[in-house]
Amino acid sequence: AELETNVNLRSFYSDQLAYPIALAVDDLLAGLFDDFSTNTVGTAGTAMSEDQIISCYQKLLEAEVEVTPATCSWFVSPAEFVNLIKNDNFIDRNKATNMFGDIPGGRGYVGVLMNASVHVTTNLDAQGTGRDETLMSTEALALVMQRMPRLSTDYDIFHLADVVVLDAVYGVKEMRDDNGGCISGA
């Protein structure tokens, strides 16, 4: 009776397996930020300046990208986020307003800057004393999941335990160089 009343640990561990796969995918995507050669600004370890923010935005407009919170995002480090909250264009709701009403939500989302959503993450490539950050459209990078994450389980009679494995087949690639920018920032 005691064994039957235990919490289903297989279910608990299965739920925990998805995070490392998602983190590995994010690592590969973040590793492509410094491949944007059309639009590169900033100095590692130094906060983005107002001019650099505007330059990134201008490059996307010149590439005929429709900049909305649903189609474009800033991905910045926590240190850069702290610098952004000192920026009027970020904290003044009249300047940062989402004109189109389609603000995405989710983990890491912190607001809107120049009509592009802002996401804070610690999962950015380190460059010297700073991080590779980006402003990019959804068309800049591609993620192909040849096999979506698949959960397999089996009972191991030698250890009297369930074996749980999660696998996926995926790849990433830069698709449109002019739809993203590499920012060497804080």
Side-chain angles (χ1 to χ4, degrees):
E2 186 178 338
L3 285 174
E4 291 179 16
T5 60
N6 280 343
V7 176
N8 185 349
L9 289 178
R10 182 174 74 179
S11 170
F12 172 77
Y13 289 124
S14 299
D15 292 344
Q16 301 301 314
L17 289 174
Y19 184 76
I21 294 282
L23 191 59
V25 170
D26 283 353
D27 277 343
L28 282 177
L29 288 167
L32 296 177
F33 293 169
D34 61 359
D35 290 351
F36 294 129
S37 59
T38 305
N39 185 7
T40 304
V41 300
T43 305
T46 306
M48 282 190 292
S49 70
E50 189 80 19
D51 290 338
Q52 291 167 341
I53 291 170
I54 292 169
S55 174
C56 287
Y57 187 78
Q58 177 184 349
K59 295 285 187 183
L60 260 60
L61 293 176
E62 289 170 352
E64 298 181 3
V65 173
E66 181 182 5
V67 180
T68 71
T71 61
C72 292
S73 295
W74 299 89
F75 292 94
V76 299
S77 69
E80 196 67 70
F81 172 67
V82 170
N83 293 319
L84 280 177
I85 60 176
K86 299 173 189 172
N87 182 326
D88 264 356
N89 286 322
F90 183 70
I91 60 170
D92 184 343
R93 198 63 188 148
N94 293 324
K95 295 178 183 176
T97 298
N98 172 18
M99 296 180 278
F100 301 99
D102 51 2
I103 293 178
R107 188 174 182 187
Y109 170 75
V110 293
V112 176
L113 176 62
M114 301 186 79
N115 213 39
S117 60
V118 179
H119 302 270
V120 176
T121 179
T122 57
N123 199 24
L124 297 169
D125 279 356
Q127 179 182 341
T129 58
R131 300 278 178 193
D132 285 338
E133 301 164 324
T134 193
L135 167 62
M136 67 178 200
S137 80
T138 55
E139 296 181 12
L141 303 177
L143 166 65
V144 176
M145 295 290 278
Q146 187 174 2
R147 179 181 303 137
M148 294 300 285
R150 173 181 64 173
L151 184 70
S152 302
T153 62
D154 200 3
Y155 186 72
D156 182 350
I157 62 170
F158 297 108
H159 295 98
L160 301 175
D162 288 317
V163 177
V164 181
V165 175
L166 184 73
D167 71 316
V169 178
Y170 57 89
V172 299
K173 183 175 181 177
E174 178 188 340
M175 301 303 290
R176 297 189 66 186
D177 189 62
D178 62 351
N179 275 228
C182 177
I183 304 161
S184 294

